[in-house]
Amino acid sequence: MRPDGDPEPDDYGLPPVDVVVPDDARELDRDVIAYRREERQRRRRERIRRLTRPFTRYGIAIPIIAGALLVALASGVLMTAFGPRPTPRPSTPMLAPHPTAAPGRIGGYLPDAQVALIGRERARIPLRDLRPGVIVIVPPECRCEALVAELAARTQEFELRFWITADRRADKAKPDEAVRRLRQLAGAAHHGTAVLVDDTGNVLAGTYAPPVASASPTATASGAARPSGAPATAPTAVLVAPDGVVTEVLHAPQPGPDLTNKIKALS
């Protein structure tokens, strides 16, 4: 605009512009505030654009992959923190390097044979792995629920193990019937756990239990001569130390302090 107020172009050939120059600069405060607000919004958009540029460069694939990885990581952390933990198997101590007696006798190892643990599946293991704890050998007509309950409770108390096996040397019943009787007897172990052992070769009974029938006294594994007829229906308890050594063989054991002390000595 020309100085004289004429709206015609000035001498420099510029187009007409309506410019108002305020008398006081404070009248421009609102315009300055609006300008600064727009600049802050512009800088904020620029930062967001720079942060999201790696994800938007390849479309929607990157966000999906990143979300899947995040879900997998969170699932792994939750499974580790709250998932089931494997139950540690009890460790078996080493066998004694120099037992004082031959296998099958007091002071020696259990016989070198294989037996099967009766469970959902039958797992065959070396007989010498039955340690430390008490192995009770029960004849067919054994009425020894009270003894089984006592042995299960005491072995549980002293952190030992307890096994039950049948003496089938004079048993005419079928194997399934013998196992059924063992399961029924193991039900008396109310305060502990009784593991059933299938000794099809009667290795334990033939080694440690009294003989089934004989006209004269016979030496047992303990070395003492015993008559054959009396203990035919009585159980035999074999006490095995952690190093695999048989410490005692008890014929017709009775619940009581003496039996408790003998079991406690194994631990």
Side-chain angles (χ1 to χ4, degrees):
M1 178 179 293
R2 295 174 58 179
D4 57 2
D6 190 355
E8 293 298 326
D10 56 18
D11 297 335
Y12 301 101
L14 297 175
V17 178
D18 187 9
V19 178
V20 178
V21 179
D23 298 331
D24 191 349
R26 288 177 296 182
E27 297 180 11
L28 297 175
D29 288 345
R30 286 180 298 178
D31 295 332
V32 172
I33 293 173
Y35 171 76
R36 291 175 178 174
R37 184 186 306 116
E38 292 176 359
E39 284 296 307
R40 286 197 298 269
Q41 293 175 352
R42 184 184 60 80
R43 289 194 296 269
R44 189 180 303 115
R45 289 194 296 269
E46 285 295 328
R47 287 196 297 268
I48 295 175
R49 190 177 297 110
R50 284 197 299 269
L51 291 175
T52 59
R53 186 175 301 162
F55 300 99
T56 58
R57 181 180 301 174
Y58 301 101
I60 198 173
I62 294 298
I64 293 177
I65 295 174
L69 291 176
L70 183 61
V71 171
L73 179 61
S75 301
V77 171
L78 292 176
M79 287 295 294
T80 303
F82 303 105
R85 292 175 172 80
T87 303
R89 298 181 62 183
S91 58
T92 303
M94 297 292 293
L95 289 170
H98 303 292
T100 59
R105 300 184 66 85
I106 294 177
Y109 299 143
L110 292 168
D112 187 8
Q114 293 274 329
V115 293
L117 301 182
I118 301 175
R120 294 183 179 180
E121 297 180 357
R122 300 203 177 198
R124 295 194 64 81
I125 63 170
L127 181 57
R128 292 176 182 177
D129 283 355
L130 303 186
R131 57 188 171 91
V134 179
I135 307 170
V136 64
I137 307 166
V138 294
E141 302 301 325
C142 179
R143 298 292 182 265
C144 47
E145 287 80 2
L147 176 64
V148 168
E150 177 72 9
L151 291 175
R154 298 291 78 79
T155 51
Q156 179 83 3
E157 177 183 357
F158 301 121
E159 299 182 355
L160 300 168
R161 284 173 277 184
F162 177 43
W163 300 273
I164 303 177
T165 188
D167 182 356
R168 300 186 189 177
R169 291 174 298 173
D171 191 2
K172 303 301 181 183
K174 295 181 179 180
D176 291 344
E177 175 63 19
V179 171
R180 188 194 66 79
R181 290 199 303 256
L182 276 183
R183 293 186 186 277
Q184 185 176 2
L185 185 59
H190 303 297
H191 301 289
T193 303
V195 180
L196 305 184
V197 177
D198 187 11
D199 182 14
T200 55
N202 286 311
V203 176
L204 288 167
T207 304
Y208 298 107
V212 175
S214 178
S216 59
T218 306
T220 63
S222 60
R226 299 183 58 86
S228 61
T233 59
T236 298
V238 182
L239 279 60
V240 187
D243 59 2
V245 172
V246 176
T247 59
E248 288 199 61
V249 177
L250 307 176
H251 301 284
Q254 297 297 321
D258 183 59
L259 179 61
T260 298
N261 291 334
K262 293 179 184 296
I263 296 174
K264 183 178 180 180
L266 295 176
S267 59

